[in-house]
Amino acid sequence: MARDMRVQRGSGYRGTLWSRIRRGVGRLTGTSPARAAMMIFAVTIAVFCSLLMMPWATASGRSSVFHEALFVATSAVTVTGLTPVNTADHWSFAGQLVILVGIQVGGLGIITIAALLAISVTRNLGLRTRLVAQEGGISTGSMGETGQVIRTVVICSAVVEAALALVLIPRFIQLNDDILSGLWHGTFYAISAFNNAGFVVHSGGLGGFGDDPVVIWTIMVGVFLGSLGFPVLFMLWRNRWHVRNWSLHTKLTLQVTLLLMVIGTVLYAVMEWNNLSTIGEMSLWEKVQNSLFASVNMRSGGFSVVESNVQNAETMLISDALMFAGGGSASTAGGIKVTTIAVIWLAFLAEARGDAESTAHGRTIPTSAVRVAVSVVAMGATLVLVSTVWLMYITGLDMGRPLYESISAFATVGLTSGLTEDLPPEGQYVLAALMFAGRVGIITFAASLTVRQRSRVRYRYPEGRPMIG
Amino acid sequence: MARDMRVQRGSGYRGTLWSRIRRGVGRLTGTSPARAAMMIFAVTIAVFCSLLMMPWATASGRSSVFHEALFVATSAVTVTGLTPVNTADHWSFAGQLVILVGIQVGGLGIITIAALLAISVTRNLGLRTRLVAQEGGISTGSMGETGQVIRTVVICSAVVEAALALVLIPRFIQLNDDILSGLWHGTFYAISAFNNAGFVVHSGGLGGFGDDPVVIWTIMVGVFLGSLGFPVLFMLWRNRWHVRNWSLHTKLTLQVTLLLMVIGTVLYAVMEWNNLSTIGEMSLWEKVQNSLFASVNMRSGGFSVVESNVQNAETMLISDALMFAGGGSASTAGGIKVTTIAVIWLAFLAEARGDAESTAHGRTIPTSAVRVAVSVVAMGATLVLVSTVWLMYITGLDMGRPLYESISAFATVGLTSGLTEDLPPEGQYVLAALMFAGRVGIITFAASLTVRQRSRVRYRYPEGRPMIG
Ligand SMILES: [K+]
Ligand SMILES: [K+]
């Protein structure tokens, strides 16, 4: 974006179409990087929607209907994984390739844009706070310019995805594929996993690989790494296990991620232990492995070995909570993000202890961070509530499945209770809007709240303390 | 409490039982007013539970089983209104009288204790903040000592309840009661309404009075006044419509209460308009009247003209949200309280505008108020989530009804999806614990968070800003 702006200012060619476009983009990004991010995502989705409308994109050779193409394009670019049609059966190879490219573009896009917004936030914060924002792991000091961010993100993604593919491809070939199919499946799942996309290209989903530890663990590692977020991966890559050098953001992200992963695994295992439709008949080790897989994927991956709606209803409610929590900031995971939860928890701890400020790892968390965190949670809860009511209204169902599907869309998880397939177009539009809001909305919302110029306080009102509770 | 402590210090009689009790109470309240409040409530519930276990308390003359007596005693003292047995059919007149006394004691108790906790908070806050706390409408300056608080609360309750009874008694006599029954019914509903208890003494509930505007409106006014809370009533009584003199607490409470009331009425009317089981067949005016009645009672009254489980599922979800919100602080209404919502909303507004501080009505809201508010919401959401999962587990139901019943218990609303009657004892214990936590827990939790000594900051950590969203 910064590059665009430089072109805009320096350009002598005022007449050509190209320079006009660049100027337009420059003006857009100059006035509001957050709005620009939304525009870029909307345009990208529109492009992939058009591609998926093509007759060559489907297996049958007949064009998809608009609302299905829009839904799948949105789902791919927002790396959600919800889909009203079976990816393996409905689309041709070309169609599946379009989806895969959509996932890769969307995943890279969201990481890059989040990172760039963080830099733009840093720029607007002034020198003292800029040093502070370096604690977020992203800053001009450590990252350099726009171009360098993009280059680092792309290299980082490519390296991890290549590593995953190198494990998956031989395994798929070994299991039952020919070489070409193995290459395709391995590549697809590597990209789908690291981007937390949750799309599958087997018509039975991952059901057939539930007992294969190589496939299960590789996908799990990919999803886990992807869900940490670029700032954390970058920090780990630079500092390895020198924990002292880790940023506050990295420490908090890892702590909450691991905590939620353990909680999810234990709860899933306890509640599904004897459910014959899920893990009830498995061996002890497989029960643990599948509980861990379910837990990791609940918080955003969206891959599942068993269908969600054969789980107990209370397992789905626990999933609701973990899906809403989501993964790391500037990652391909969605939700309200783990650092949001950390900031709220630290605020609570500070109150309980009677401390005037909330602190963690030798750092003071600024008050405005608590307010941004609360705003993000309130926005998410409101969107999910409205969507759930609407889906209940048009389907006539009790709240379990509409809530699950709404949270899955908002948090771009992609786990499904089977409702997405059954929804009429007006329901699919709502979920598509929710995916968009959950993906692009949350990031830009938080960034624009953080970046707002603090108006200088000219006069200060006396304090007023309403009773609470 | 203050009086008890003086007795303790000044007393020369060390031997008598009475002075020992007073000394014990004094020590208890001296160390932690919050813990004392919980003890007092627990003991009160135990007493009423014993009374309801007596053979003379039931219509059949056989003792109630323990878990039912405990549940009804808890429901009465916490002014909730949930009950596993039909109040009119199961209990004798004496049993119903015990329940009514339980409601009155519980209602007065909760208002008084909340007010006294507010004073104790004020005392601990130091002079500057004490002036601030007067904005809450409660302070030693304006209210005087413990005894005076209790006297004012009792007089205030008695006056409003008498006024309600004076309207209801003649109406019940006129409708179909003899004079004694009319006196009893009028008194019962007056007390039940003002204390937001939601208990009814007609075996068909209020269903028979749904088309009687006198009964409906009188109960509605009683519930509304009770839900505002004592500080607001006191402020209104002292300052009438001189809005300039109202405290911040009063203004925020009235604003949010009216806003939620209107939202609830509109949503209820829209969603139930054509539901033949609820308001579908009524005249336009009756539809509006009953929607308003439902809206007022959702936020804590707990009276209902129609059964909740004949409502649309999405209406119940909206109810969930409004029940969770609740009424005013230091009132007989439960929930997280309207000022909690106001503080969170103001924090969001401040962020969106880019203000460094959140302000309302010419007052700055202290940062710690935001953190207390967030803590209260997080505590409530966690309790409700755990209870819902547990109820789903023991009943095997989808989440709609378990969630509704859990929120109704936590927010001491008393609306029921019919689940309470069907629950096994272990389910009833969970709901009883939730009523207790929602009633006493929230108040003492918020007070003890607010009252904590702020530890002086000896050294200050540098700021660290994790990414959010
Ligand atoms: K996903
Ligand atoms: K109630």
Side-chain angles (χ1 to χ4, degrees):
Chain A
M1 292 181 219
R3 189 170 294 177
D4 286 329
M5 291 184 57
R6 247 177 285 137
V7 168
Q8 183 202 346
R9 287 194 210 104
S11 174
Y13 313 93
R14 303 200 126 242
T16 70
L17 180 64
W18 183 232
S19 72
R20 277 189 185 189
I21 292 176
R22 298 190 91 163
R23 216 157 53 225
V25 172
R27 208 173 297 136
L28 205 62
T29 56
T31 49
S32 161
R35 206 177 310 145
M38 302 198 84
M39 287 295 296
I40 292 168
F41 256 81
V43 170
T44 310
I45 289 170
V47 169
F48 280 92
C49 175
S50 319
L51 290 173
L52 290 175
M53 291 285 288
M54 300 291 165
W56 48 256
T58 64
S60 65
R62 283 191 304 271
S63 295
S64 297
V65 290
F66 172 70
H67 64 86
E68 283 176 0
L70 179 68
F71 192 97
V72 174
T74 309
S75 184
V77 173
T78 61
V79 292
T80 303
L82 285 174
T83 165
V85 296
N86 189 304
T87 307
D89 300 340
H90 181 84
W91 306 105
S92 63
F93 174 76
Q96 293 173 14
L97 193 60
V98 168
I99 291 174
L100 189 62
V101 174
I103 291 170
Q104 185 63 80
V105 168
L108 285 177
I110 205 71
I111 301 176
T112 316
I113 286 175
L116 292 177
L117 280 174
I119 292 180
S120 124
V121 165
T122 314
R123 283 219 185 88
N124 278 280
L125 287 175
L127 180 62
R128 197 181 68 89
T129 337
R130 202 179 306 163
L131 293 169
V132 168
Q134 290 184 3
E135 279 300 313
I138 297 269
S139 67
T140 42
S142 68
M143 290 285 312
E145 275 305 322
T146 313
Q148 202 189 325
V149 170
I150 297 175
R151 210 175 310 130
T152 321
V153 168
V154 170
I155 292 172
C156 168
S157 294
V159 167
V160 179
E161 286 168 5
L164 296 171
L166 282 179
V167 180
L168 288 173
I169 291 170
R171 185 63 182 167
F172 278 117
I173 294 174
Q174 190 184 350
L175 283 173
N176 43 20
D177 284 355
D178 57 276
I179 293 186
L180 273 184
S181 299
L183 272 170
W184 170 236
H185 289 154
T187 310
F188 192 97
Y189 284 110
I191 292 178
S192 185
F194 181 66
N195 288 292
N196 276 223
F199 275 93
V200 288
V201 273
H202 289 93
S203 53
L206 288 180
F209 305 98
D211 55 355
D212 187 82
V214 177
V215 173
I216 291 295
W217 280 92
T218 311
I219 288 181
M220 199 150 51
V221 168
V223 167
F224 179 79
L225 290 177
S227 80
L228 291 177
F230 178 65
V232 174
L233 291 180
F234 187 71
M235 185 64 69
L236 289 179
W237 178 68
R238 291 244 314 224
N239 296 294
R240 304 295 148 81
W241 298 108
H242 301 291
V243 180
R244 280 168 156 264
N245 296 339
W246 289 1
S247 66
L248 174 64
H249 178 79
T250 300
K251 291 176 188 163
L252 291 179
T253 301
L254 284 172
Q255 283 178 317
V256 181
T257 298
L258 292 174
L259 182 70
L260 291 181
M261 201 170 77
V262 171
I263 292 175
T265 307
V266 171
L267 288 177
Y268 188 90
V270 167
M271 289 189 293
E272 296 293 320
W273 200 263
N274 296 313
N275 184 345
L276 300 182
S277 313
T278 56
I279 60 172
E281 286 185 328
M282 294 180 181
S283 67
L284 178 66
W285 168 242
E286 278 192 330
K287 281 184 180 185
V288 173
Q289 178 179 288
N290 274 285
S291 300
L292 182 63
F293 188 79
S295 174
V296 167
N297 278 289
M298 265 177 220
R299 288 187 318 96
S300 175
F303 292 98
S304 58
V305 171
V306 295
E307 283 178 51
S308 297
N309 51 346
V310 298
Q311 293 170 3
N312 294 320
E314 53 269 37
T315 310
M316 292 179 73
L317 181 53
I318 296 289
S319 289
D320 288 338
L322 287 169
M323 292 196 295
F324 191 72
S329 297
S331 79
T332 48
I336 56 169
K337 306 295 187 306
V338 290
T339 36
T340 305
I341 294 170
V343 165
I344 289 178
W345 171 246
L346 291 169
F348 167 71
L349 270 192
E351 278 308 309
R353 286 183 189 148
D355 297 343
E357 296 180 326
S358 51
T359 57
H361 301 297
R363 289 282 183 279
T364 301
I365 315 272
T367 307
S368 66
V370 180
R371 296 200 301 214
V372 175
V374 171
S375 304
V376 166
V377 174
M379 177 212 178
T382 307
L383 288 178
V384 167
L385 181 66
V386 170
S387 163
T388 305
V389 169
W390 175 246
L391 293 186
M392 286 168 79
Y393 179 73
I394 61 177
T395 62
L397 291 167
D398 196 4
M399 64 181 295
R401 291 171 68 200
L403 178 65
Y404 193 81
E405 217 75 5
S406 297
I407 295 186
S408 180
F410 165 74
T412 66
V413 176
L415 292 172
T416 180
S417 63
L419 186 60
T420 297
E421 299 172 8
D422 303 339
L423 282 179
E426 64 266 34
Q428 294 190 16
Y429 290 132
V430 169
L431 287 185
L434 216 55
M435 291 189 264
F436 189 80
R439 183 77 280 181
V440 198
I442 279 279
I443 292 176
T444 53
F445 179 70
S448 49
L449 286 190
T450 310
V451 82
R452 285 246 182 281
Q453 294 286 349
R454 302 280 138 192
S455 56
R456 250 161 282 134
V457 184
R458 281 174 219 175
Y459 46 86
R460 195 164 187 279
Y461 290 123
E463 286 198 347
R465 183 184 290 269
M467 288 176 72
I468 287 177
Chain B
M1 288 184 225
R3 188 170 295 176
D4 287 329
M5 288 187 59
R6 246 176 286 136
V7 168
Q8 184 201 342
R9 288 194 209 103
S11 174
Y13 313 92
R14 301 199 129 245
T16 70
L17 180 65
W18 182 234
S19 72
R20 279 190 185 186
I21 292 174
R22 297 190 92 166
R23 219 159 49 226
V25 172
R27 209 173 296 136
L28 204 65
T29 54
T31 49
S32 162
R35 208 177 307 144
M38 301 197 86
M39 288 294 297
I40 292 168
F41 257 80
V43 170
T44 310
I45 288 171
V47 169
F48 280 93
C49 175
S50 320
L51 290 174
L52 290 176
M53 292 286 288
M54 300 292 165
W56 48 256
T58 64
S60 65
R62 285 190 303 271
S63 295
S64 296
V65 290
F66 173 70
H67 64 87
E68 283 176 0
L70 179 69
F71 193 96
V72 174
T74 309
S75 184
V77 174
T78 61
V79 292
T80 304
L82 285 174
T83 166
V85 296
N86 189 305
T87 307
D89 300 341
H90 180 83
W91 306 105
S92 64
F93 174 75
Q96 292 174 15
L97 195 58
V98 168
I99 291 174
L100 189 61
V101 174
I103 292 170
Q104 184 64 78
V105 168
L108 285 177
I110 205 71
I111 301 176
T112 315
I113 287 175
L116 292 177
L117 280 174
I119 291 180
S120 124
V121 166
T122 313
R123 282 220 186 89
N124 278 281
L125 286 175
L127 180 62
R128 197 182 67 90
T129 338
R130 202 179 303 162
L131 293 169
V132 168
Q134 291 185 2
E135 279 300 314
I138 298 268
S139 67
T140 41
S142 68
M143 291 282 314
E145 276 306 322
T146 312
Q148 202 188 327
V149 170
I150 297 175
R151 209 175 309 132
T152 321
V153 168
V154 170
I155 292 172
C156 168
S157 294
V159 167
V160 179
E161 287 168 4
L164 296 171
L166 281 179
V167 181
L168 287 174
I169 290 169
R171 186 60 182 170
F172 278 118
I173 294 175
Q174 191 184 350
L175 283 172
N176 42 21
D177 286 353
D178 56 276
I179 292 185
L180 274 182
S181 299
L183 272 170
W184 170 237
H185 289 154
T187 310
F188 192 98
Y189 284 111
I191 293 178
S192 186
F194 181 66
N195 288 292
N196 276 225
F199 274 94
V200 289
V201 274
H202 288 92
S203 54
L206 287 180
F209 305 98
D211 56 353
D212 187 82
V214 177
V215 173
I216 290 296
W217 279 91
T218 309
I219 289 181
M220 197 149 53
V221 168
V223 168
F224 179 78
L225 289 177
S227 79
L228 291 178
F230 178 64
V232 174
L233 291 180
F234 187 72
M235 185 63 71
L236 289 179
W237 177 67
R238 290 243 315 222
N239 296 293
R240 304 294 148 83
W241 298 109
H242 301 291
V243 180
R244 281 168 155 263
N245 297 340
W246 290 0
S247 66
L248 174 63
H249 178 79
T250 301
K251 289 176 188 163
L252 291 179
T253 301
L254 284 172
Q255 282 179 317
V256 181
T257 299
L258 292 175
L259 183 69
L260 291 181
M261 201 169 79
V262 171
I263 292 175
T265 307
V266 171
L267 288 178
Y268 189 91
V270 167
M271 288 189 293
E272 297 294 318
W273 200 261
N274 295 314
N275 184 345
L276 299 183
S277 311
T278 57
I279 60 172
E281 285 185 329
M282 295 178 181
S283 68
L284 177 66
W285 169 242
E286 277 192 328
K287 282 184 181 186
V288 174
Q289 178 180 288
N290 275 285
S291 300
L292 183 62
F293 187 79
S295 173
V296 167
N297 278 290
M298 265 177 220
R299 288 188 315 98
S300 173
F303 292 98
S304 58
V305 172
V306 295
E307 286 178 48
S308 295
N309 52 345
V310 297
Q311 294 170 2
N312 294 319
E314 53 270 35
T315 309
M316 293 179 72
L317 181 53
I318 296 288
S319 289
D320 288 338
L322 288 169
M323 292 196 293
F324 191 72
S329 297
S331 80
T332 48
I336 55 169
K337 306 295 186 307
V338 289
T339 36
T340 305
I341 294 170
V343 166
I344 290 178
W345 172 246
L346 291 169
F348 167 71
L349 271 193
E351 278 309 309
R353 285 184 190 143
D355 296 343
E357 297 180 326
S358 51
T359 56
H361 301 296
R363 290 282 182 277
T364 299
I365 315 272
T367 307
S368 65
V370 180
R371 295 200 300 215
V372 175
V374 172
S375 304
V376 165
V377 174
M379 176 212 178
T382 307
L383 288 177
V384 167
L385 181 66
V386 170
S387 163
T388 305
V389 169
W390 176 244
L391 293 186
M392 287 169 77
Y393 178 74
I394 61 177
T395 61
L397 290 168
D398 197 3
M399 65 182 293
R401 290 172 67 201
L403 178 66
Y404 192 81
E405 217 75 3
S406 297
I407 295 186
S408 179
F410 165 75
T412 67
V413 176
L415 291 172
T416 180
S417 62
L419 185 61
T420 298
E421 299 172 9
D422 303 339
L423 281 179
E426 65 266 33
Q428 293 189 17
Y429 290 131
V430 168
L431 288 186
L434 216 56
M435 289 190 265
F436 189 80
R439 181 78 282 176
V440 199
I442 279 279
I443 292 176
T444 53
F445 179 70
S448 48
L449 287 190
T450 310
V451 83
R452 286 246 183 282
Q453 294 287 349
R454 300 284 138 192
S455 57
R456 250 161 282 131
V457 184
R458 281 176 221 174
Y459 46 86
R460 195 165 187 279
Y461 291 125
E463 286 198 344
R465 184 185 290 268
M467 287 176 73
I468 287 177

